[in-house]
Amino acid sequence: MPDYALNTSENTRRRHIKEVRFQWVGRIAILISLGFLALMFIAISVRGYSVFEQTHIQLDIFFDEAHLDPSGARDPEMLLIADYKPLLTTALQRRFREVQERREKRRLYKILSRGAVFALGEMVQKNPNLIGTSQRLWLPASAEVDLYMKGKVDVSLEEELRRLKNKEINWVNQLKAQGQIKKKFNTRFFTKGDSREPELSGILGAVIGSAFSLLVCFTIAFPLGLLTAIYLEDFAKKTLLTDLIEININNLAAVPSIVFGLLGLSIFLGVFHLPRSTPLVGGMVLALMTLPTIIIAARASLRSVPNTIREAALGLGASKVQTTFHHTVPLAMPGILTGTILGMAGALGETAPLLMIGMVAFIVDVPQGITDVATSLPVQIFLWADSPEKGFVERTAAAIMVLLSFLVLMNLLAVFLRKKLQRQW
Amino acid sequence: MGSMIKILNETAIPVTNPIEKPCILSAKNVDVFYGNKLAINDVSFDIMENQITALIGPSGCGKSSVLRCFNRMNDMIDACKVTGDIRFAGQNIYDPKVDVVALRARIGMVFQKANPFPKSIFENVAYGPRIHGLAKSKGDLEEIVISALKKAGLYDEVANRLDESGTGLSGGQQQRLCIARALAVDPQVILMDEPCSSLDPIATAVIEDLMESMKENYTIVIVTHSMQQASRISQKTAFFHLGDLVEFGDTETIFTNPEYEITQNYISGRIG
Amino acid sequence: MFPSTNLQLRRAGRGSKLKEQIIIVGMLVCSLVAILITIGIVLSLAFEAFLFFRKVPVFDFLFGLEWSPQTAIRADQVGASGKFGVLPLLTGTVLISFIAMAVATPLGLYSAVYLTEYAKPKTRNWIKPTLELLAGIPTVVYGFFAALVVAPIIRNTGSGAGFDVSSESALAAGLVMGIMLIPFISSLSDDVISAVPKAMREASYGLGATRVETITQVVLPAATVGIVGSLLLATSRAIGETMIVVMAAGLAAKLTLNPLEAVTTMTVQIVTLLTGDQEFDSAKTLAAFAIALFLFILTMGLNVIALKIVDKYKVHYA
């Protein structure tokens, strides 16, 4: 008698439980992966966002002519490097009259950043008429005070274990009570180069260094990659040579990036004696790394242009070269550009090869050209991450946020190109 | 023409002869949607036990869709929705209480293109009994496999190479391996979706003979492109056109004296 | 019949033909750059490595159990006192890569299986690109994350459980590297799993198999070769990864398999040997090139094998 039952048996019940269990394992795997992603973003944002604000202290500064420019020459160079420190100490003394003891005074002066001096210098250089006047100014506070204002100093800790002592906290609290200390948008971080002092350091130098490197990288890798792709896709007959080229491209895409750095070190620096630590060499190394990515993307894009287009052009009497450059390449361009942008995004995040060619130095000045000594955004992150000062931790996180924003922008651009311009054949 | 067929359909719901064998599968008012598109429109017919029922019609007429309803293979397609009443031995197979795993164990399937797993011949056939826990011991399993291969008429050809890959067999042998694989689960019904469409005439003949002998113990529903095949092997034939069941009845009647002109046209090769 | 017109046509044709030939040759030259880069890499690494092996025997390098390049302090004892055994570095590299793969393989594979076999198209459409974000994050960011977040967590949990965990540990670096490799493995396996023909799945479902039975007994066995290929590619990535280990693994060249200790890797040593003050031609600097050559051969070998496997797999299911 055949069995027609369709309901769940002991056997199938067991199997369905297994099924559900397996599905949950898959879900959990995805959740863990996405969880790590979220954790990383949160951990970095939590540390980094505070950099975008910087604590400032309000002081009445008297720009004493006798001190700054006794000769009255108003030479801009001299005004910049004049000794502004006494102005600050005087102002602080006047604000905190109760502080008399010498050691305490010295502590008091340290609630201001060393950058306050430069700030005054730049101000006076720009506007010499300030000399002889008294101004109420917001000046940057020291890194420790900044951390305290951002709630990152554990006051419950014993005094000896803190860099910020009770006295200083007391002063800051006095200022706070009178509204003479507050957090303002940190323009310095976006407009200055590196510095030994966390509160003075900025990322502009690194950003410009990265931009110059990418410029060099693009100038080399894009035409080279495009022409290679066109040749391999539309012109090359299958020979041993083209096979060799293809194997090479596929394998280069998997060579560890640091090896490209060594190539740059021994050939570009060692043989050609190109200037060390510059975006020129950095960009060249990045170009070699990006080349396979661009070639592979460009070939895929060229391949997706239907042959009917080529046949139509050839049928009208266009030569093969004309067909390719007048018809195929323009049609494939959105895809090629998408691939190139993604390749550039990869190059922007690359660190290891740049360490090899010396872009890892401490550089204060913002580079002016591709042959100036420079660093790059990811290398700057690496350098700051390595610094022992606590103030640099948040700088590192903030720099990462900037780097990731650039990457997001580039990816959005790529998505936009793909969505808007790419046709569906 | 579509509307005409609809009218015909409503008036011509096939009547099953109560003296005949018991009905094992029945479809009543079945609609199949792919997304918003109606692929099968209000189809009703019964399938008798231990008979071969052929579903014929021009390509795209929905005969495969109907076939795949019977063991709920359409469940695998996200956009596909089936409404209506389909019963297996009186039980609604779309009832939430029905276990689709059990259903497919009762109603096996053989596909258009032979699709053996990239495993040995033995493992191919043993797969079903294994997952359903049909064998109590290794000996049991071997027995099931050998018996299934014998029923599929393949055993003599592969007896001494059971551990070789199933993908190494010829096309006809592969298809018979797939039949053996389906038989090993001991189903009551076997659905065949154009099983011979990629085979040469000799291999086709072998499989047709096989179906003839399988009829003793199994109910077979076969979708076929070939009218000759339908007329050769089936007892009942259903003719589909553009998602409608135009005509259903004894194969002999359909092929010699169809009720509708469109059936006549298809059978005589004027449309298709 | 019309010789003059004919001639004109031919002449115009010839001129542009020459121009086209030049363009084509130009493109060929461009495509040769790919080969040139490989040759450049091999030659530069091999040349400096050759100089190194004149100072330190190959055997000592490959089979030496000690790595202490820093001991060559005085200039007059070049290379003599340093110990250049690559094995501790190799052990560190293998240990960290192993941890990374142990993290990434299950997470990546299960994610790929879930996305291809279970997820609705809508879910898949946002999860897949989100997972791939992990691949777009620069490694220096992972390094920072490893050093700042993961390492302290591991140290604290470790010491809470009574283990002695160093502040830089193979576990922290390996774990974070594993996260980095998840999208790499999941998208490669995704391709491979999707390439298994639908007919295979249908056959299995038609027999009444559940999804998990179909996946584990039909789909995955059919995709094994391709998955192994993608795992090899990921391993080659792990071995060549630099920034995460530089920032989170440490410098201690120890011959240990304890994941809680600080270890060093080949890439870390290349960076340490070549950054900072360096005199060219010292055994110390040249050693970096020898390690790099070793690294290059290792990753290239893995890669060639992996690509071959994947290619063969593609042909199989084309």
Side-chain angles (χ1 to χ4, degrees), chain A residues 15 19 27 248 262 266 319, chain C residues 20 38 44 118 212-213 292:
Chain A
R15 289 161 64 196
E19 171 79 23
R27 278 202 196 107
N248 259 295
L262 288 169
S266 66
S319 70
Chain C
E20 300 215 335
T38 312
S44 60
Y118 288 104
V212 52
E213 285 157 359

Side-chain angles (χ1 to χ4, degrees), chain A residues 53-109:
Chain A
E53 283 183 329
Q54 179 102 21
T55 306
H56 287 70
I57 295 174
Q58 192 183 47
L59 284 175
D60 292 316
I61 304 281
F62 174 59
F63 291 94
D64 188 355
E65 177 164 22
H67 219 103
L68 298 175
D69 193 21
S71 63
R74 301 288 191 267
D75 174 11
E77 291 298 314
M78 294 311 291
L79 286 179
L80 186 65
I81 57 165
D83 187 9
Y84 289 93
K85 208 170 169 200
L87 306 189
L88 295 172
T89 53
T90 318
L92 278 170
Q93 265 169 33
R94 246 185 284 146
R95 174 66 187 74
F96 293 96
R97 288 192 192 277
E98 71 278 13
V99 180
Q100 290 299 332
E101 205 245 327
R102 265 188 71 167
R103 281 220 338 249
E104 261 188 38
K105 273 186 184 171
R106 216 174 296 147
R107 293 215 79 90
L108 175 62
Y109 303 152

Side-chain angles (χ1 to χ4, degrees), chain A residues 170-241:
Chain A
N170 188 23
W171 294 326
V172 171
N173 287 343
Q174 280 183 40
L175 288 168
K176 210 151 83 176
Q178 313 235 334
Q180 288 169 325
I181 187 164
K182 72 169 182 191
K183 287 176 277 180
K184 290 171 46 169
F185 181 70
N186 187 358
T187 40
R188 180 168 260 281
F189 183 66
F190 295 99
T191 54
K192 291 279 153 36
D194 199 5
S195 165
R196 297 279 182 209
E197 312 291 327
E199 75 274 13
L200 299 184
S201 59
I203 51 163
L204 187 67
V207 169
I208 300 291
S210 272
F212 279 133
S213 303
L214 282 192
L215 188 73
V216 174
C217 171
F218 178 83
T219 320
I220 297 171
F222 181 68
L224 215 53
L226 181 59
L227 291 177
T228 305
I230 294 172
Y231 179 74
L232 290 179
E233 208 48 49
D234 276 10
F235 291 91
K237 289 174 197 76
K238 220 174 148 49
T239 61
L240 199 66
L241 184 69

Side-chain angles (χ1 to χ4, degrees), chain C residues 114-126:
Chain C
Y114 186 84
L115 287 177
T116 44
E117 305 286 329
Y118 288 104
K120 292 200 173 62
K122 231 180 170 178
T123 330
R124 183 186 156 90
N125 281 347
W126 74 264

Side-chain angles (χ1 to χ4, degrees), chain C residues 110-178:
Chain C
Y110 271 114
S111 302
V113 166
Y114 186 84
L115 287 177
T116 44
E117 305 286 329
Y118 288 104
K120 292 200 173 62
K122 231 180 170 178
T123 330
R124 183 186 156 90
N125 281 347
W126 74 264
I127 289 187
K128 217 173 129 83
T130 315
L131 267 186
E132 270 156 24
L133 281 184
L134 282 171
I137 295 175
T139 53
V140 68
V141 178
Y142 281 102
F144 179 67
F145 179 66
L148 193 76
V149 180
V150 178
I153 291 177
I154 290 178
R155 194 180 47 228
N156 293 341
T157 10
S159 49
F163 290 111
D164 186 25
V165 187
S166 60
S167 61
E168 293 174 318
S169 65
L171 190 57
L175 187 69
V176 172
M177 197 190 283

Side-chain angles (χ1 to χ4, degrees), chain B residues 52-57 208 222-238 251-252 254-255 266:
Chain B
I52 297 179
T53 305
L55 313 184
I56 60 169
E208 284 180 11
I222 177 171
V223 165
T224 176
H225 232 78
S226 144
M227 270 131 350
Q228 290 86 340
Q229 186 172 56
S231 68
R232 274 198 303 267
I233 59 170
S234 72
Q235 282 75 56
K236 284 280 190 327
T237 295
T251 302
E252 224 180 292
I254 299 258
F255 276 89
Y266 179 71

Side-chain angles (χ1 to χ4, degrees), chain A residues 107 144 148 153-169:
Chain A
R107 293 215 79 90
E144 268 79 41
Y148 172 73
V153 172
D154 186 3
V155 270
S156 63
L157 224 59
E158 274 182 64
E159 193 174 3
E160 289 89 76
L161 299 174
R162 278 186 262 125
R163 289 183 77 172
L164 200 66
K165 307 296 177 197
N166 287 342
K167 272 258 162 53
E168 288 151 313
I169 292 177

